[in-house]
Amino acid sequence: MLLAFALITLGLAVYLLGEVATYPARQQMLSVRRASGYGRARMVGAPTAQLKFRERVLVPSVARLASMALRLNPKATVESIATRLNAAGLSSRISPTQFLAAKGALAIAAALFAITVGIVNAPVFGIVFAPLLAGVGFFVPDAALTLRTRGRREGIKAELPDALDLLAVSVEAGLGFDGAVTKLTEYMDGALVEEFAQTLGEIRIGESRHEAMKKMAERVATPEIASFVRSVVQADQLGISLGRILRVQAADSRLRRQAAAEEKAMKAPIKMLFPTVLFIFPAMFLVILGPALLNLSQYLA
């Protein structure tokens, strides 16, 4: 009995000694655990309730719709969409993720519209036209972006001669090319001036002039801008007078604009032929031949 009491007392003493010896380490571990748990609790709990509706709902929804659009069209990438938006002049207004989300949202809305109409009228309509309308809604933003890019390029072609004249006058007055572009951005506006402003910004942040000009030619992708960029780069490399080069480029672009206008004028009669045949000739035949047909029908009767 006495031996058992002695063993129990010895074990208790060893336990208490171990507790006392490990107390500082246990306190330090407990403090670290509390600190890590405290920070994690604040990150998970408190700010989530304070997030706005945009961060809680809209941003995750846009990301999901964009990923869905990328899965439906594997050939499309965020980089290619960004390049197209930049060429259309929309890179500062809409991001590639938002553009992809708009494609997905339109596809879903078109499919839901077809299903709703099918439920109300005929289920066959919803089954047949839901995929078709979804595909149309999916590719409508691409078509709109292509049309905007084409219109912007036409506007750049029309603005190029006047811009080159102003650049030539500024260079001949003693300004450098960068200063001439700065004057151009101050006194003119439009799509071409936006491209020059972006090029000037790239030069100011450390991009070489040649690389910045080549990037502008890639964004716009028109023969006139490509010819202008090649001429400026060659004049800079060979030491040719930039003012004379700009004068020649302005005259050449003006001739190209005149030729393009004449080409459109020559195509106008052919384009007017189909509306004339479809809408004007039937009414004219009805007015001219209508009374004769009525008289003939009465005669035959």
Side-chain angles (χ1 to χ4, degrees):
M1 188 70 177
L2 183 61
L3 181 60
F5 180 75
L7 291 175
I8 293 173
T9 304
L10 181 60
L12 183 60
V14 172
Y15 174 76
L16 292 176
L17 183 62
E19 288 291 319
V20 171
T22 58
Y23 179 75
R26 287 188 291 107
Q27 285 296 112
Q28 183 179 3
M29 186 180 297
L30 183 60
S31 300
V32 172
R33 188 178 301 171
R34 285 177 178 176
S36 61
Y38 176 76
R40 192 174 297 117
R42 292 192 63 184
M43 288 296 294
V44 174
T48 304
Q50 298 177 1
L51 289 176
K52 296 181 180 179
F53 177 79
R54 182 175 182 272
E55 285 77 10
R56 287 188 289 108
V57 178
L58 293 183
V59 174
S61 301
V62 167
R64 293 191 188 95
L65 288 172
S67 62
M68 183 194 72
L70 287 176
R71 286 195 298 268
L72 291 176
N73 188 13
K75 294 183 179 180
T77 60
V78 177
E79 291 76 12
S80 63
I81 296 297
T83 302
R84 295 181 61 191
L85 289 174
N86 198 6
L90 297 175
S91 57
S92 60
R93 302 178 185 177
I94 181 173
S95 65
T97 303
Q98 293 173 345
F99 180 79
L100 291 170
K103 294 180 64 175
L106 284 176
I108 294 174
L112 291 177
F113 174 76
I115 293 172
T116 304
V117 174
I119 292 173
V120 174
N121 296 323
V124 178
F125 179 87
I127 297 173
V128 173
F129 286 96
L132 180 61
L133 291 181
V136 172
F138 187 79
F139 288 105
V140 160
D142 290 326
L145 187 62
T146 301
L147 291 176
R148 181 177 175 85
T149 303
R150 189 178 302 169
R152 190 169 185 267
R153 287 175 181 173
E154 293 297 328
I156 288 175
K157 290 180 183 180
E159 297 168 2
L160 185 60
D162 297 333
L164 292 180
D165 285 336
L166 182 56
L167 288 176
V169 171
S170 300
V171 170
E172 290 173 353
L175 292 176
F177 182 76
D178 298 347
V181 173
T182 303
K183 288 294 181 183
L184 176 66
T185 58
E186 291 177 357
Y187 290 100
M188 290 185 66
D189 55 0
L192 180 60
V193 177
E194 292 176 0
E195 292 293 337
F196 273 114
Q198 184 174 349
T199 303
L200 184 62
E202 293 174 354
I203 294 173
R204 287 176 176 174
I205 63 176
E207 192 87 24
S208 65
R209 183 187 299 174
H210 299 170
E211 293 298 326
M213 296 292 290
K214 288 179 181 178
K215 286 183 179 180
M216 184 179 73
E218 292 175 358
R219 288 194 304 268
V220 179
T222 59
E224 291 80 4
I225 294 295
S227 176
F228 163 69
V229 169
R230 286 195 302 268
S231 300
V232 172
V233 171
Q234 290 177 0
D236 196 9
Q237 291 176 344
L238 301 177
I240 304 174
S241 174
L242 188 58
R244 184 172 59 185
I245 292 294
L246 292 174
R247 287 291 185 187
V248 173
Q249 287 294 318
D252 182 62
S253 62
R254 190 168 282 107
L255 289 176
R256 289 187 180 185
R257 184 174 65 179
Q258 182 179 358
E262 292 176 354
E263 181 181 359
K264 289 182 179 180
M266 294 177 65
K267 290 181 179 178
I270 299 175
K271 292 181 179 179
M272 293 172 59
L273 177 63
F274 298 100
T276 301
V277 172
L278 291 176
F279 301 106
I280 297 178
F281 282 174
M284 185 175 64
F285 289 154
L286 183 62
V287 171
I288 295 175
L289 300 178
L293 291 176
L294 289 175
N295 293 330
L296 181 62
S297 61
Q298 291 177 0
Y299 177 78
L300 293 176

